Amino acid sequence: MSTGDAMSTGDAMSTGDAVKAPVLSATSLVKRFGHVTAVDDVSFELMPGASLGIVGESGSGKTTTARILAGLEQPTSGTVTLDGRAVEGHSRRARLRQARRLQMIFQDPYGSFDPRQTIAQSIAEPMRLHAPGSRKEHRARVDELLDQVGLSSRAGQSLPRDLSGGQRQRAAIARALGVAPRVLVLDEAVAALDVSIQAQILTLLDDLRRDTGISYVFVSHDLAVVRYITDTAIVMRHGRIVERGETEQILRSPRHPYTRLLLDSIPSPGWDLDRVARDRRALDLL
Amino acid sequence: MLAKKTPAREEAPDGGAGTRRDALGISRLSLAVGTGESEIPLLADVTVRVGRGETVGLVGESGSGKSLTARSALGMLPRGARATGGVTVSGVDVLAAGYRELRDLRRTRVSMIFQDPRASINPVRRIGDYLTEGLRARGVPARGAAEQALDLLGQVGIRDPKGAMGRFPHEFSGGMLQRVVIAGALSTEPELLLADEPTTALDVTTQAEVIGLLKEMQRAHGTGMLFVTHDLDLAAAICDRVYVMYAGRIVEESAGASLFGAPAHPYTRALLEASPSVHGGRAEIKAIRGRPRALAEAPSGCAFRDRCPLAGDECAETVPAHRPHGTSLVACLRPEQVTP
Ligand SMILES: Nc1ncnc2c1ncn2[C@@H]1O[C@H](COP(=O)(O)OP(=O)(O)OP(=O)(O)O)[C@@H](O)[C@H]1O
Ligand SMILES: Nc1ncnc2c1ncn2[C@@H]1O[C@H](COP(=O)(O)OP(=O)(O)O)[C@@H](O)[C@H]1O
Ligand code: SF4
Ligand SMILES: [Mg+2]
Ligand SMILES: [Mg+2]
């Protein structure tokens, strides 16, 4: 019916040559808010099972990019292709189709849970929308999901306010996984968590990717976290991509002065604050 | 006026306990709210010392009691809290001090900066007023106060200090406003600066600048600094000594630099192993099971035992006393199994 349906060749490919075709690609994305250009000509591809980091400081356009990918924001220009089809339109049908393939996780999952529903009910909700099955089947799947993210069934019967931040983030991940999406977009998903809980979520995400072949777009200001959870990364500044490549390569030998500044700004034993000042001057000269 | 301040002392930061009085001495501080059955313990047996000119870190996960400890140095206890133990700032017994004495202490000898600079500045007053007010309260005449404020803004790297004096807080970015707060905090040339996550809300590059500024100002004034953070890397990078807190107690005290090489407490090691790093080889991270606890919900004996891989039966019996191990003071029965 929609133009997208006519060219669903991507779906056919996903069984055979899946490895070759990106599951998600962004082409020349631009987003303007009034006279602010939040995202300025951003392009990248995400292969099935891969994990891409988007790093940069606050205001660099990471969240806006993530929201465009998730269909929560319309780009001023440029296209997003998901699973071989251009993401178009804001109709309910288009959004549902999108949500079945791509789910988003936010920094504070509290706001995305209905405060009056139990965690288990919230997890079942997208499933009811997207996955056919009886109530009983859904309930079994919820138990499976809770288990997969390391939550007890007691936690499943709790209200969101009775869970810790780490538990809520697990619940958000469980809910997203319920529709078996091909891509998770995570925006600062571990930024608000304590180190020990952050490590639990990071290792969980790592295991999930290995076990299910899901792909991540991992948005974070934290280079150490991005190093752990991604294979490739893009570095954004003022809405533009200033560097891209394999994450490890970027960290070991950054080419752009801004990436260098970011790296040298991270505290470490023997931290050289004069070097940070030099980096900044080099960047200002650009 | 900054130049005529006595220079920071030259001795090793950990050496001067005897000769000059410390900027801060907290000894065996315990805090609780509520009474009888409903008593909630918040801190237990917290001992923290900050020498003159020394930078001391207080690290731990949320709810471990870092902010409560730092605020106690200013006599800012939770409503209805009961305290035992001692808190001494520049020779003043804070727990016994009255309202006026505490007010004078805050005006002259102790300053505090918080994570959110907007919380410490009145949004409807101009930056200039914010700075001169503090100076005036300290007895500086109006003219001199304005000059000093201008000078301070220049020192903390605010471009166009004259223009900045007339502007309101919302006209500054978070990083710039935190500089203004630092200027205010150091304008009274305090002996002690309490910094509670002062850079947590800032971008890394801004954090690096603000830390550089703090360290420089602190050196110039000989100010002792208690630096509260949940970031171990940051603490180890800038602190002479670091205290690690868990569930309302200090579990380890260590020289800043050796925190990484030779952690003595299983919790310190676990935190290090759970933190991804951009430096060195790409290492696996190890999650710590369970979640951090407040003192009131911690198990008896060693509070870390329900999460500790080394825990044994004797860990449940009593709260481990602090004892020296390597360059650390550690509250654990088996530090030799952490770092031999
Ligand atoms: N006024 C109060 N009444 C009761 N409990 C309190 C009060 N103030 C703090 N607490 C509790 O004391 C514990 C320590 O709090 P504190 O603010 O010192 O933690 P923190 O280490 O600074 O944590 P964060 O990293 O989250 O800032 C927490 O469990 C907190 O809920
Ligand atoms: N809804 C909006 N209206 C106006 N400006 C916006 C909106 N969303 C984001 N911006 C602006 O776009 C830029 C990029 O923001 P954002 O994508 O949130 O950055 P990041 O996530 O990297 O911190 C910023 O200048 C921000 O103020
Ligand atoms: S005392 Fe026992 S439980 Fe506590 S940290 Fe040491 S080994 Fe672990
Ligand atoms: Mg963002
Ligand atoms: Mg705190």
Side-chain angles (χ1 to χ4, degrees), chain B residues 23 73-74 89-90 104-112 185 188 190-194:
Chain B
L74 276 176
V89 173
S90 315
D104 289 345
L105 196 65
R106 289 175 203 166
R107 277 186 183 165
T108 55
R109 278 181 259 167
V110 193
S111 291
M112 184 146 187
T188 59
E191 286 173 39
L192 176 66
L193 179 64
L194 303 162

Side-chain angles (χ1 to χ4, degrees), chain B residues 16-29:
Chain B
T19 44
R20 290 175 63 178
R21 76 182 177 199
D22 286 333
L24 169 67
I26 298 179
S27 67
R28 311 208 59 174
L29 175 69

Side-chain angles (χ1 to χ4, degrees), chain A residues 165-183:
Chain A
Q167 285 176 313
R168 278 201 292 267
Q169 202 55 290
R170 286 173 194 269
I173 293 169
R175 186 177 50 180
L177 293 177
V179 302
R182 304 208 56 198
V183 179

Side-chain angles (χ1 to χ4, degrees), chain A residues 78-100:
Chain A
T79 52
V80 174
T81 309
L82 179 58
D83 226 357
R85 274 215 272 179
V87 173
E88 277 166 334
H90 242 53
S91 68
R92 182 181 150 76
R93 190 160 171 279
R95 281 213 313 276
L96 280 178
R97 184 189 181 278
Q98 164 113 351
R100 218 178 310 138

Side-chain angles (χ1 to χ4, degrees), chain B residues 68-82:
Chain B
L68 283 174
T69 302
R71 297 168 74 98
S72 74
L74 276 176
M76 292 159 62
L77 306 182
R79 186 180 296 273
R82 273 160 302 105

Side-chain angles (χ1 to χ4, degrees), chain A residues 56-59 164 167 194-200 202-203 206 221-230 248 251 258 261-271 273 276 280, chain B residues 60-62 203-209 211-212 215 230-234 236-238 260 271 274-292 307:
Chain A
E57 294 189 290
S58 64
S164 67
Q167 285 176 313
D194 272 314
V195 181
S196 65
I197 307 302
Q198 172 180 288
Q200 293 170 1
L202 287 175
T203 49
D206 221 27
H221 68 281
D222 188 333
L223 285 170
V225 166
V226 165
R227 182 189 193 194
Y228 177 79
I229 205 77
T230 70
E248 205 55 24
L251 296 181
Y258 178 65
L261 172 66
L262 278 181
L263 270 168
D264 288 339
S265 297
I266 299 170
S268 62
W271 199 19
L273 288 166
V276 177
R280 185 169 289 279
Chain B
E61 294 181 284
S62 65
D203 276 324
V204 275
T205 62
T206 315
Q207 163 169 287
E209 285 182 0
I211 294 287
K215 291 292 281 180
H230 63 274
D231 185 340
L232 261 74
D233 293 285
L234 181 55
I238 68 167
F260 282 88
L271 278 182
S275 314
S277 169
V278 288
H279 305 285
R282 185 169 186 271
E284 282 305 302
I285 56 175
K286 263 205 229 149
I288 312 174
R289 64 179 179 216
R291 62 180 174 85
R307 308 178 76 193

Side-chain angles (χ1 to χ4, degrees), chain B residues 33 40 42 60-69 78-79 196-197 294:
Chain B
V33 291
I40 302 169
L42 300 177
E61 294 181 284
S62 65
S64 59
K66 306 180 296 294
S67 297
L68 283 174
T69 302
R79 186 180 296 273
D196 192 349
E197 311 244 13

Side-chain angles (χ1 to χ4, degrees), chain A residues 131-173:
Chain A
S134 68
R135 201 172 260 263
K136 199 164 145 225
E137 280 165 340
H138 281 159
R139 207 168 307 147
R141 178 83 180 113
V142 168
D143 286 342
E144 210 178 288
L145 287 165
L146 284 170
D147 190 55
Q148 199 172 8
V149 300
L151 284 177
S152 65
S153 44
R154 214 189 75 202
Q157 292 318 309
S158 314
L159 292 174
R161 65 158 181 274
D162 296 326
L163 296 188
S164 67
Q167 285 176 313
R168 278 201 292 267
Q169 202 55 290
R170 286 173 194 269
I173 293 169

